[in-house]
Amino acid sequence: MSEHPPQHHPDPAQPVDPHEVDPTLIDLVAGDPPVPVTVWRTARGPADTGRTVGARLAYRLVAAYTRPGDAVVDVTVDHALTAVCAAGARRHHPGWFTEASSLIIGPATPPP
């Protein structure tokens, strides 16, 4: 027997009809074709070979989503954000996912 009671998902009161959706609410930056905000053009350099996240993308991620002094949990397999966090005065914490669907967060990486 399940530990959780069954979940009932009632039908939405107002179903979404694609013909009634306002397309101007979808694009954050209007254009033809629309420009999605989630696309960042970051070229990979020769030093990025074998890395999960290139240096330019790592910089963009840390700069866009953190401030100096913030903690960054890096769950990439090669801890690709270490150098960028040090350069940007962020506290870098390596992290690992386990087979049991848990997250282990290590102590802050010492400054260089």
Side-chain angles (χ1 to χ4, degrees), residues 83-96:
V84 175
C85 287
R90 274 72 165 178
R91 294 185 323 268
H92 177 267
H93 292 266
W96 300 269

Side-chain angles (χ1 to χ4, degrees), residues 44 48-54 57 74-80:
R44 294 179 72 86
D48 294 332
T49 302
R51 294 181 60 175
T52 55
V53 176
L57 180 57
D74 183 357
V75 293
T76 59
V77 294
D78 56 352
H79 303 299

Side-chain angles (χ1 to χ4, degrees), residues 2 4 9 18 21 27 32 38 43 51-52 57 61 69-70 77-79 89 98-100 103:
S2 173
H4 302 287
H9 301 286
V21 175
D27 302 326
D32 188 19
T38 56
R51 294 181 60 175
T52 55
L57 180 57
L61 288 168
D70 285 354
V77 294
D78 56 352
H79 303 299
T98 69
E99 295 295 324
L103 174 63

